[in-house]
Amino acid sequence: MDAVQVALILFLIVGFLLVIGTPISVAIGVGSVVAMASILDLDKSLLTSTQRIFTGINTFSLLAIPFFILAGVIMNNGGIAIRLVNCAKVLTGRLPGSLAHTNVVANMLFGSISGSAVASSAAVGGTMAPLQEREGYKREFSAAVNIASAPAGMLIPPSNTLIVYALVSGGTSIAALFMAGYVPGLLWGLGCMVVAYFIAKKHGYKSDQKITFLQGLRVFLDAIPSLLLVVIVIGGIIRGIFTATEGSAIAVVYALLLSFIYRTIKIKDLPKILLDSTRTTAIVIFMIGVSSIMSWVMAFTNIPGMIAATLLSLSENPIMILLIMNLVLLVIGTFMDPTPAVLIFTPIFLPIAMNLGIDPVHFGIIIVFNLCIGTITPPVGPVLFVGSKVANLKIESVVKPLLPFYGITVIILLVVTFYPEISLAIPKLLGLVK
């Protein structure tokens, strides 16, 4: 059986299972095993699949993901969100629609610490929604701002999605990817603030009450311990004091100590926190394991090479090929979570990108940026669902206010795609890429 037939079996089965509502990890696993059985005996297929699952998750670097997830859950329960919101209010209080800008900045800060867009939209949105409603903000607008800005934290390190890309891309430097995500993540947040500014001016949303310098200083000092987490973890990774995995463990210890100091977490809360993080970790790790089966099938039958040849036959223009890949990733992101999408499409698109001379660090940012947009778009966007639920709104009522935010993020995506220095300037400055 040739590669085309195997590819059809693989993608048709996975697609069918997704359409009927099968969990993504199960769909990928079943489709991959059936496709493998079409080229090997069933016994060999099952044995090879089992080996691939264990091989795929038997990586020391992968330990960073459960630790960062646990750190995020601790921070979500540890009173850190409110301190970051207060700090953001100091920074944005003089702008029209200041509470909307506060939401954006707080999402960027909390997302950069927790590494989770869903956690940001829940924690920050839950804090900001009542404040904005009391000030006369339309709930749909408030929800749209919260949803649109939450994924910025998936680009600003530490980012679990970038760690997954580093593993599946053949060992791209996690430190380089982390540094490459800063400017695109900040641009995402600034783009949301620009849109929020014009909407706030149109509807007459006012700035926040002025505070004195001493009040602002007191709020900022209260937020410093929370902000120091990023400095300690990212600074230690960049300076080579510890690895990303060790840094994730330090993040857990630091977040836990901080929550105990704030007295927002008690010993009796730990079982629930551990259970919540274990559930999320199990989903991610199982996804990585079954995706390893799919990667083996695609590599064995040279499916990535076939897709690359097809893309290159459509056009030899690098700009057109990048636009096609962006379009595919944007569509994929609307119905697939970032982790499985990275695991599936990195082995397909990365060789094409490298043939075009694109740095793998830059391409990692392109992939993650595309998939971040997918988290806020229907029909499956997890941030869209959580943000709507926090605001007690139906998804349909939030999509229209989100349209200008979709527009600005796509524009920023194209700028990031075709100006690689936006991603690579900081890694080059630090000597992480050539």
Side-chain angles (χ1 to χ4, degrees):
M1 188 172 291
D2 61 25
V4 176
Q5 292 172 313
V6 176
L8 282 173
I9 292 172
L10 176 62
F11 294 121
L12 285 176
I13 292 176
V14 172
F16 172 74
L17 291 174
L18 290 175
V19 168
I20 64 174
T22 308
I24 293 175
S25 54
V26 175
I28 291 172
V30 172
S32 301
V33 171
V34 173
M36 189 183 295
S38 68
I39 51 177
L40 299 174
D41 295 336
L42 181 59
D43 290 345
K44 291 181 180 178
S45 299
L46 294 174
L47 178 60
T48 304
S49 298
T50 305
Q51 290 174 335
R52 292 310 307 169
I53 288 176
F54 282 98
T55 302
I57 63 176
N58 186 26
T59 305
F60 179 73
S61 301
L62 207 56
L63 282 173
I65 292 178
F67 279 124
F68 276 130
I69 289 173
L70 177 56
V73 174
I74 292 170
M75 286 181 282
N76 207 18
N77 291 273
I80 291 175
I82 188 63
R83 287 169 172 80
L84 296 178
V85 166
N86 290 336
C87 180
K89 285 179 71 175
V90 172
L91 297 174
T92 62
R94 297 180 182 274
L95 296 172
S98 59
L99 290 179
H101 300 297
T102 297
N103 198 327
V104 176
V105 175
N107 266 333
M108 292 167 68
L109 292 174
F110 190 83
S112 69
I113 293 173
S114 69
S116 170
V118 172
S120 293
S121 63
V124 177
T127 303
M128 293 301 304
L131 298 177
Q132 294 181 73
E133 191 168 0
R134 281 201 297 269
E135 291 294 324
Y137 289 61
K138 288 185 178 180
R139 283 199 298 159
E140 292 80 3
F141 168 68
S142 300
V145 171
N146 181 49
I147 291 165
S149 58
M154 293 174 65
L155 289 162
I156 302 172
S159 165
N160 291 332
T161 312
L162 288 175
I163 293 172
V164 172
Y165 172 82
L167 295 172
V168 77
S169 64
T172 306
S173 167
I174 294 177
L177 285 165
F178 278 3
M179 290 298 99
Y182 268 113
V183 177
L186 291 172
L187 287 176
W188 182 304
L190 288 173
C192 290
M193 291 179 72
V194 168
V195 173
Y197 175 85
F198 285 107
I199 295 176
K201 290 283 284 185
K202 179 181 177 181
H203 292 282
Y205 298 140
K206 298 179 181 179
S207 59
D208 202 2
Q209 294 179 348
K210 293 181 180 180
I211 61 173
T212 65
F213 174 77
L214 287 177
Q215 289 173 324
L217 183 61
R218 192 178 300 115
V219 170
F220 180 70
L221 290 175
D222 190 40
I224 281 180
S226 302
L227 296 172
L228 274 178
L229 178 59
V230 176
V231 177
I232 293 169
V233 173
I234 303 302
I237 294 171
I238 298 306
R239 293 185 64 85
I241 299 172
F242 42 75
T243 65
T245 304
E246 293 161 346
S248 65
I250 291 169
V252 170
V253 174
Y254 187 90
L256 197 57
L257 288 174
L258 201 58
S259 299
F260 283 142
I261 292 171
Y262 289 154
R263 297 183 180 181
T264 48
I265 288 181
K266 298 180 176 64
I267 297 294
K268 66 179 182 179
D269 299 323
L270 292 182
K272 183 180 182 300
I273 288 172
L274 292 171
L275 186 60
D276 288 344
S277 61
T278 300
R279 285 197 190 101
T280 306
T281 299
I283 294 169
V284 174
I285 297 300
F286 182 62
M287 183 73 68
I288 293 171
V290 295
S291 296
S292 299
I293 309 173
M294 177 178 276
S295 298
W296 186 93
V297 172
M298 291 194 297
F300 188 81
T301 56
N302 196 33
I303 291 174
M306 181 182 66
I307 295 175
T310 303
L311 265 180
L312 293 172
S313 68
L314 294 175
S315 174
E316 294 183 359
N317 188 331
I319 294 176
M320 287 303 300
I321 293 174
L322 278 172
L323 285 174
I324 292 170
M325 288 194 287
N326 274 330
L327 182 61
V328 171
L329 289 167
L330 282 173
V331 172
I332 292 299
T334 62
F335 63 86
M336 186 176 287
D337 283 343
T339 297
V342 167
L343 291 165
I344 294 168
F345 289 94
T346 298
I348 295 173
F349 286 154
L350 182 58
I352 303 171
M354 294 184 71
N355 283 339
L356 297 175
I358 298 172
D359 189 284
V361 172
H362 176 219
F363 191 68
I365 300 301
I366 293 174
I367 286 184
V368 173
F369 202 115
N370 274 284
L371 299 175
C372 282
I373 295 175
T375 65
I376 61 175
T377 54
V380 188
V383 178
L384 176 62
F385 275 86
V386 172
S388 300
K389 186 178 180 181
V390 167
N392 291 317
L393 292 169
K394 292 183 178 179
I395 290 174
E396 307 87 75
S397 64
V398 179
V399 170
K400 186 177 178 181
L402 274 170
L403 292 178
F405 293 99
Y406 292 148
I408 195 70
T409 50
V410 170
I411 291 170
I412 296 169
L413 167 64
L414 293 175
V415 172
V416 169
T417 298
F418 295 111
Y419 292 91
E421 287 304 310
I422 291 175
S423 302
L424 298 178
I426 297 178
K428 284 182 177 178
L429 185 65
L430 297 173
L432 298 171
V433 296
K434 295 180 181 180

